[in-house]
Amino acid sequence: MSEALKCPECGSEHVYQDGPLWICPECAHEWTGEATEAGEQGERVIRDANGNVLADGDTVSVIKELKIKGSSQVVKGGTKVKGIRLVDGTDGHDIACKIPGFGAMNLKSEFVKKA
């Protein structure tokens, strides 16, 4: 175990590995080793449904029909979205974009693939 490894939530040094996850017994926070490496570098990594790394300005395609909250409309699967922005997501919505015909909205990266 690395001496420099600490819990990203509480800073505890008493962390242990359980399969692919790191676990902090003091605050019960769980994270992957990839998240630890990205956190050490000071950058966050957001991946699409296929595991490809996304960046600001990428073009993505929606992989399934998405219901729009507060509306009866849906964004159909296969819709291309150009010029995405990666944001600190609330409730997992980590992509800000403008979808043609719908306007500005936030998407979850798990429902898009890099085009």
Side-chain angles (χ1 to χ4, degrees):
M1 181 167 63
S2 172
E3 294 297 326
L5 188 61
K6 295 182 180 180
C7 175
E9 291 291 312
C10 69
S12 172
E13 296 179 353
H14 305 289
V15 297
Y16 63 93
Q17 189 171 12
D18 184 18
L21 294 176
W22 286 93
I23 301 171
C24 175
E26 294 182 12
C27 69
H29 179 66
E30 298 178 354
W31 70 98
T32 62
E34 293 174 1
T36 302
E37 293 169 8
E40 290 173 359
Q41 296 172 359
E43 61 185 58
R44 62 191 172 143
V45 177
I46 297 177
R47 298 181 184 272
D48 68 358
N50 295 330
N52 299 318
V53 177
L54 297 174
D56 285 341
D58 281 347
T59 299
V60 296
S61 296
V62 178
I63 61 171
K64 64 180 246 180
E65 284 191 0
L66 301 174
K67 294 180 182 178
I68 299 175
K69 196 173 199 177
S71 174
S72 61
Q73 297 178 320
V74 295
V75 176
K76 295 194 179 204
T79 302
K80 287 204 181 236
V81 182
K82 298 178 183 177
I84 65 168
R85 285 184 306 120
L86 302 179
V87 296
D88 289 330
T90 56
D91 299 331
H93 294 84
D94 44 16
I95 298 174
C97 60
K98 286 186 180 178
I99 298 180
F102 296 98
M105 66 177 56
N106 293 336
L107 298 173
K108 292 184 178 182
S109 59
E110 63 197 59
F111 297 122
V112 300
K113 67 178 181 177
K114 198 169 188 177

